[in-house]
Amino acid sequence: MPNLSPRHVKTEESLRLGVVSGWYSTKVSGTFVSGPHDSEADCLRRIAELRPPPPKKKN
């Protein structure tokens, strides 16, 4: 999954975009990937689920 960032969409912008206001995970291009989430913390948890850390290499 590409780099994702949390983004808050306020009411005015949500009306213009036709989405519910809230927190969304977005690609660098601005495309919504998931959401709306109730809080930034919820959004960040979802980003972590979508982009798990790379597996550790065995020595």
Side-chain angles (χ1 to χ4, degrees), residues 30-56:
T31 304
F32 294 149
V33 176
S34 72
H37 303 283
D38 293 331
S39 67
E40 184 178 17
D42 288 341
C43 185
L44 289 169
R45 274 192 287 279
R46 182 64 179 143
I47 289 172
E49 290 172 5
L50 293 171
R51 187 184 59 205
K56 294 180 181 177

Side-chain angles (χ1 to χ4, degrees), residues 18-36:
V19 298
V20 176
S21 82
W23 286 92
Y24 289 83
S25 60
T26 61
K27 294 180 183 179
V28 174
S29 65
T31 304
F32 294 149
V33 176
S34 72

